[in-house]
Amino acid sequence: MFISPAYAQAAGGVDPFSGLLIPMLLMVLIFYFLVIRPQSQRQKQHRDMVERVRRGDTVVTSGGFVGKVARVPENSDEIEVDLAETLKVRVLKSTLIDVRSKSEPVKDTVTTK
C-alpha cells in the first residue's frame, strides 16, 4: 500500500547471513586472544614446571601442603614428598601448584622490624 512493488522486490535481495558473518568472526577472534590463548600458555608453563621437578625442591600442592621432594621416579606421574621429618606422602605431579628450587628462598610476606 505505501511501498511500491519495485522497491519491495529490491529490498528482499539482502543476505542476512553476510551481515552476521563479520561480527561473529570478530567475536571468535576476541575470544581466542582473551581466553583460549592465555589459558593454553598457562597450561604449557605448568606442564614444563612439573616436568622439571627434582629431588630437593620445595613444592606446594593443590591441597595447600608445602613439602620437600624426596624421590622422583622416572616414568611415573607420582612423586614422594616429605611434609615432616617422619611423614612422607605420594603426590600426583599434576596436583602441584608451585615448584620452588633449592636455591630459591621461600617468599616471606610478613616483614619484621
Side-chain angles (χ1 to χ4, degrees):
M1 177 169 157
F2 295 110
I3 301 173
S4 67
Y7 182 69
Q9 288 176 354
V14 175
D15 185 18
F17 181 72
S18 64
L20 293 176
L21 185 62
I22 293 173
M24 280 298 256
L25 287 176
L26 204 61
M27 289 177 63
V28 168
L29 284 174
I30 290 171
F31 188 76
Y32 172 76
F33 282 108
L34 291 179
V35 177
I36 297 172
R37 188 168 177 251
Q39 180 63 26
S40 65
Q41 288 176 342
R42 279 192 295 270
Q43 285 176 344
K44 183 181 178 193
Q45 288 174 348
H46 183 262
R47 186 174 46 249
D48 292 341
M49 176 187 66
V50 167
E51 288 174 0
R52 288 181 285 142
V53 69
R54 62 186 189 275
R55 186 173 184 261
D57 289 346
T58 303
V59 295
V60 180
T61 66
S62 62
F65 293 112
V66 178
K68 195 173 218 175
V69 177
R71 191 169 65 100
V72 182
E74 288 190 32
N75 300 328
S76 177
D77 61 343
E78 295 179 352
I79 60 174
E80 192 171 299
V81 178
D82 292 335
L83 296 178
E85 289 182 21
T86 58
L87 179 63
K88 292 185 180 183
V89 293
R90 289 187 341 209
V91 177
L92 291 174
K93 286 183 181 180
S94 61
T95 63
L96 298 179
I97 292 178
D98 192 19
V99 177
R100 302 174 182 157
S101 65
K102 291 183 265 189
S103 60
E104 181 180 322
V106 176
K107 297 172 187 150
D108 189 17
T109 57
V110 178
T111 57
T112 58
K113 288 188 177 185

